[in-house]
Amino acid sequence: MTLKIGIIGCGGIANGKHMPSLASVAEAEMVAFCDIVVERAEKAKVDFGTTDASVYTDYKELLADKTIDVIHVCTPNISHAEISIAAMEAGKHVMCEKPMAKTTAEAQAMIDASVKTGKKLTIGYQNRFRKDSQFLHEVCENNELGEIYYAKAKAIRRRAVPTWGVFLDEEAQGGGPLIDIGTHALDLTLWMMDNYKPKYVVGNAYHKLSQRANSANAWGPWEPSKFTVEDSAFGFITMENGATIVLESSWALNTLDVGEAMTTLCGTEGGADMEDGLRINGESHGQTHQTEIELEVGGVDFYDGAGDDPAELEAQQWIDSILNGTDPVVKPEQALVVTQILEAIYESSKTGQPVFFQ
């Protein structure tokens, strides 16, 4: 069986991840493309669509096509919930790019729509499908680290602020590096810990380097007056079981300690980090030890028919979950907790107070 896919939003993330990855899935074909800039949708059709694929500038018109099975939502964060809910109500399964939504209320409304309509919903956290992530998750599932009671979620760039699109627009995106790349690091960390019960959060967001015009930025200078999101944000998260997670995120920080979508885990029986490849540490017979995992030697694909590319693996398992009636790897309830925590860090930064969860 082949599933018919509609792409809503034909910008950077659609061209960089969603459409190339879906093109690698034999059971999927892209038959509709929508973007407010019609030229982008037309180019997407030429590059990735079937010969008779449709082009739209209004997503509601695309959703009216009853032959479409699946929608990929690749728009700015402000419209994630609106489009995803409308798509599910129109009878489509939905893959929504991360973050799930700007707010917890919007994310919950997406889950409610999925439950009401019976349509599958997943969120684009492709870093779960990296080889190191898959290996470490298996280690955690086997309880080899014991009880994980301290973790660090890291998403730090020295100077790499995305200056295109609406990345710097707080209204459209809901935030900066925290909601953009910090979300990946937090998702990985919670997934490894299998802990989705936060108790309270303390956080700070900073607008420091964003107001400097001579930025030495990897993607060219930004305009300080249009840089309305934070340049860095940090959170201290306490879970109901007492575990601690420190979340670090920045697009521009005066540090050499950089890295994205990384986690460090410390458990009662051992630890792990992604600071220099994947490393597992522990102690035995009175001695400490560490193991560097060789991920490029041998091994098998985690999903049949897919290669090593995390985005292709993400697309393959998503389509498989629909065809086989199984749960997607990224469950919406998990992504909701990520959004809850990110929202709480922003709120704590504004009020100067901790944010407690009910």
Side-chain angles (χ1 to χ4, degrees):
M1 181 179 177
T2 300
L3 295 177
K4 296 183 182 298
I5 317 293
I7 307 294
I8 300 179
C10 300
I13 196 63
N15 282 278
K17 185 183 84 165
H18 289 260
M19 295 189 295
S21 300
L22 285 168
S24 72
V25 180
E27 301 87 354
E29 60 180 13
M30 288 169 272
V31 301
F33 303 87
C34 179
D35 198 283
I36 57 174
V37 179
V38 70
E39 290 81 8
R40 287 201 295 243
E42 289 172 342
K43 185 178 186 304
K45 172 185 174 177
V46 171
D47 292 344
F48 299 103
T50 57
T51 56
D52 59 346
S54 302
V55 169
Y56 302 89
T57 55
D58 184 343
Y59 77 85
K60 294 177 182 178
E61 293 181 4
L62 184 153
L63 295 181
D65 184 343
K66 297 185 183 303
T67 68
I68 296 174
D69 304 299
V70 182
I71 296 296
H72 279 229
V73 179
C74 307
T75 60
N77 300 345
I78 191 172
S79 59
H80 281 187
E82 173 190 325
I83 297 173
S84 295
I85 292 168
M88 287 182 281
E89 290 178 343
K92 326 296 187 187
H93 303 288
V94 172
M95 155 73 81
C96 179
E97 180 51 32
K98 64 78 191 166
M100 188 171 185
K102 276 183 62 176
T103 68
T104 300
E106 290 177 345
Q108 184 61 58
M110 292 166 69
I111 291 176
D112 293 344
S114 176
V115 172
K116 178 182 177 182
T117 62
K119 295 301 173 181
K120 292 185 183 296
L121 171 65
T122 194
I123 309 302
Y125 285 117
Q126 75 276 3
N127 286 288
R128 293 194 188 189
F129 298 90
R130 299 186 332 231
K131 281 187 174 182
D132 58 343
S133 302
Q134 290 280 333
F135 187 99
L136 182 54
H137 189 251
E138 187 171 340
V139 167
C140 294
E141 278 194 317
N142 292 337
N143 202 36
E144 294 174 43
L145 303 185
E147 178 194 352
I148 301 170
Y149 58 91
Y150 174 73
K152 182 170 72 172
K154 180 177 177 181
I156 297 290
R157 298 174 182 171
R158 185 182 182 188
R159 289 291 191 284
V161 177
T163 53
W164 60 89
V166 295
F167 277 104
L168 306 186
D169 185 340
E170 184 175 17
E171 176 62 25
Q173 290 294 87
L178 180 64
I179 203 169
D180 177 42
I181 56 177
T183 189
H184 277 301
L186 180 58
D187 174 70
L188 268 186
T189 302
L190 297 175
W191 187 52
M192 298 300 175
M193 298 173 74
D194 191 23
N195 189 342
Y196 291 92
K197 295 183 177 180
K199 184 177 181 181
Y200 67 88
V201 166
V202 177
N204 285 296
Y206 294 96
H207 299 257
K208 300 291 187 179
L209 303 186
S210 63
Q211 300 311 300
R212 300 189 179 191
N214 186 14
S215 57
N217 189 46
W219 290 306
W222 58 76
E223 291 187 42
S225 63
K226 295 182 179 179
F227 202 139
T228 60
V229 298
E230 82 281 359
D231 53 53
S232 300
F234 309 94
F236 185 92
I237 306 150
T238 297
M239 310 301 283
E240 283 188 5
N241 70 345
T244 297
I245 301 172
V246 174
L247 173 55
E248 306 173 333
S249 66
S250 181
W251 285 334
L253 193 68
N254 287 322
T255 181
L256 301 179
D257 183 17
V258 298
E260 289 186 46
M262 297 167 62
T263 188
T264 296
L265 307 172
C266 303
T268 53
E269 304 304 318
D273 68 67
M274 297 171 167
E275 292 294 330
D276 185 16
L278 179 58
R279 304 182 297 187
I280 312 293
N281 69 78
E283 61 85 17
S284 60
H285 305 289
Q287 300 292 327
T288 58
H289 61 80
Q290 74 176 52
T291 301
E292 297 179 2
I293 308 300
E294 297 290 340
L295 293 166
E296 300 307 317
V297 179
V300 296
D301 289 341
F302 292 103
Y303 298 95
D304 291 340
D308 294 336
D309 181 79
E312 291 183 6
L313 288 167
E314 177 188 57
Q316 184 68 58
Q317 70 78 33
W318 164 234
I319 297 303
D320 286 349
S321 74
I322 297 170
L323 293 174
N324 300 327
T326 56
D327 287 335
V329 169
V330 180
K331 299 177 178 63
E333 295 82 6
Q334 296 170 336
L336 169 69
V337 176
V338 175
T339 294
Q340 284 180 313
I341 292 173
L342 298 181
E343 186 178 52
I345 291 173
Y346 284 128
E347 179 66 20
S348 177
S349 180
K350 290 175 182 177
T351 64
Q353 300 294 323
V355 173
F356 288 84
F357 297 88
Q358 298 296 326

